[in-house]
């Protein structure tokens, strides 16, 4: 009887170790597949994260603030803006509206990933939390090779990109004081980042109506409300005008598509 129990116990251990080994191998394969896709993001996130960390340091925030904000907010443009919001008078309503308007595009990311993400569990929640622009682009468009679970691939892409950003931000915050050049005016990196995002959008869009709406609304509100109070009115005006011009934007897209079809 004792020998039978020992044999059954060994069989159970073997049956438990085999699935564990398979899971470990699947995770390793997924990591090796995911890492090359994140190399361009590594270069970008280290640079911008480092600049953000230096900006936090020059604004008087410790590395612990940088670690918490880069880990939990995890939104480059919103994090840059959050520095100014923290240094400004307490305005919770404006902060909430800014956050919603800046990150509103994630609603559409989430809708696009409904059938791709796991249906439940901690993995699903982390993939939703860590879905920045670059991570969404990789996870949505990449065809994963056979034999590699899509969930594992998306987990590694999300985790690696998250790590790149947090590491770069903390590195910039830690060595910001030791840089051989003055960091006064480093907050201009936020203006540069928004300008580059806007320029890239202008170059990629089929028509420039939305860009003109943004420029017109910003300049108008800057004149009416001055530099310290123009952001929230300009965002609300942009949202209102784009909603009203939505049929016109749809027509211009149809025209460009029909022109392309004529050449096919």
């Amino acid at each position: 009887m004792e020998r039978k129990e020992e044999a059954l116990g060994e069989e159970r251990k073997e049956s438990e170790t085999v699935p564990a080994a398979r899971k470990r191998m699947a995770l390793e394969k997924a990591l090796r597949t995911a890492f090359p896709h994140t190399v361009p993001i590594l270069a970008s996130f280290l640079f911008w994260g480092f600049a953000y960390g230096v900006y936090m340091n020059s604004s008087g925030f410790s590395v612990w603030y940088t670690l918490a904000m880069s880990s939990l907010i995890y939104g480059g443009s919103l994090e840059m803006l959050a520095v100014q919001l923290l240094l400004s008078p307490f305005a919770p309503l404006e902060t909430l509206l800014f956050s919603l308007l800046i990150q509103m595009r994630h609603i559409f990311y989430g809708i696009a990933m409904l059938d791709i993400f796991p249906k439940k569990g901690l993995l699903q929640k982390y993939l939703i939390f860590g879905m920045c622009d670059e991570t969404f682009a990789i996870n949505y468009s990449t065809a994963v090779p056979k034999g590699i679970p899509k969930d594992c691939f998306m987990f590694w892409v999300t985790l690696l990109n998250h790590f790149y950003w947090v590491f770069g931000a903390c590195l910039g915050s830690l060595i910001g004081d030791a840089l051989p050049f003055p960091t006064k005016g480093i907050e201009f990196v936020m203006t540069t980042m928004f300008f580059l995002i806007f320029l890239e959008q202008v170059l990629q869009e089929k028509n420039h109506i939305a860009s003109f709406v943004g420029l017109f609304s910003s300049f108008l509100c800057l004149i009416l409300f001055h530099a310290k109070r123009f952001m929230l009115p300009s965002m609300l005006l942009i949202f209102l005008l784009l909603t009203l011009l939505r049929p016109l934007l749809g027509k211009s897209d149809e025209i460009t598509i029909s022109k392309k079809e004529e050449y096919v």
Side-chain angles (χ1 to χ4, degrees):
M1 290 292 292
E2 291 180 359
R3 290 180 180 178
K4 288 183 180 180
E5 290 178 358
E6 290 178 358
L8 288 172
E10 290 177 359
E11 288 179 1
R12 287 174 184 171
K13 288 180 180 178
E14 289 178 359
S15 62
E16 290 175 357
T17 54
V18 170
R22 288 177 180 174
K23 288 181 181 179
R24 187 167 59 252
M25 289 178 63
L27 284 171
E28 291 174 357
K29 286 182 180 179
L31 174 59
R32 288 195 295 268
T33 305
F35 176 71
H37 291 277
T38 66
V39 170
I41 315 302
L42 168 63
S44 174
F45 274 20
L46 283 182
F47 173 77
W48 286 111
F50 184 86
Y52 167 68
V54 174
Y55 179 34
M56 285 285 287
N57 181 277
S58 65
S59 300
F61 294 98
S62 68
V63 67
W64 299 112
Y65 273 94
T66 306
L67 175 62
M69 290 174 64
S70 61
S71 301
L72 300 176
I73 298 177
Y74 190 41
S77 54
L78 182 58
E79 286 180 50
M80 293 285 189
L81 184 62
V83 179
Q84 290 298 323
L85 293 174
L86 288 172
L87 296 174
S88 302
F90 182 64
L93 181 59
E94 288 189 7
T95 303
L96 177 63
L97 290 175
F98 282 148
S99 303
L100 289 175
L101 290 172
I102 291 174
Q103 302 296 93
M104 191 174 289
R105 65 191 185 279
H106 287 262
I107 296 175
F108 304 101
Y109 294 168
I111 293 172
M113 299 297 289
L114 279 175
D115 296 329
I116 301 175
F117 277 171
K119 301 304 179 186
K120 58 182 179 179
L122 292 176
L123 178 59
Q124 180 208 44
K125 293 174 176 58
Y126 177 67
L127 292 176
I128 293 172
F129 164 76
M131 189 172 54
C132 63
D133 299 342
E134 295 80 3
T135 300
F136 166 76
I138 296 173
N139 286 340
Y140 183 76
S141 61
T142 303
V144 180
K146 291 183 179 180
I148 296 176
K150 179 75 172 180
D151 293 354
C152 295
F153 175 84
M154 293 190 295
F155 166 74
W156 283 119
V157 170
T158 306
L159 183 64
L160 288 171
N161 289 342
H162 195 180
F163 172 75
Y164 300 153
W165 177 258
V166 175
F167 178 76
C170 292
L171 185 65
S173 181
L174 285 171
I175 68 175
D177 291 330
L179 293 176
F181 52 86
T183 58
K184 186 178 180 180
I186 192 68
E187 63 272 10
F188 188 72
V189 71
M190 182 175 70
T191 306
T192 307
M193 185 184 69
F194 281 118
F195 176 76
L196 290 175
I197 293 172
F198 173 74
L199 183 61
E200 184 180 1
Q201 185 66 30
V202 170
L203 294 174
Q204 291 180 355
E205 63 190 6
K206 295 180 177 65
N207 63 78
H208 303 298
I209 297 175
S211 299
F212 284 127
V213 167
L215 291 173
F216 169 77
S217 303
S218 300
F219 281 118
L220 179 63
C221 292
L222 180 62
I223 295 170
L224 294 176
F225 299 98
H226 304 292
K228 291 185 178 180
R229 297 181 179 275
F230 86 101
M231 285 190 66
L232 183 58
S234 63
M235 286 185 173
L236 293 174
L237 182 59
I238 290 170
F239 179 76
L240 177 63
L241 290 177
L242 290 179
T243 303
L244 294 174
L245 294 173
R246 184 177 178 184
L248 181 60
L249 294 172
K251 287 180 181 179
S252 61
D253 287 339
E254 291 175 3
I255 292 170
T256 53
I257 290 170
S258 63
K259 285 183 178 179
K260 285 183 179 180
E261 289 176 351
E262 290 177 1
Y263 292 100
V264 176

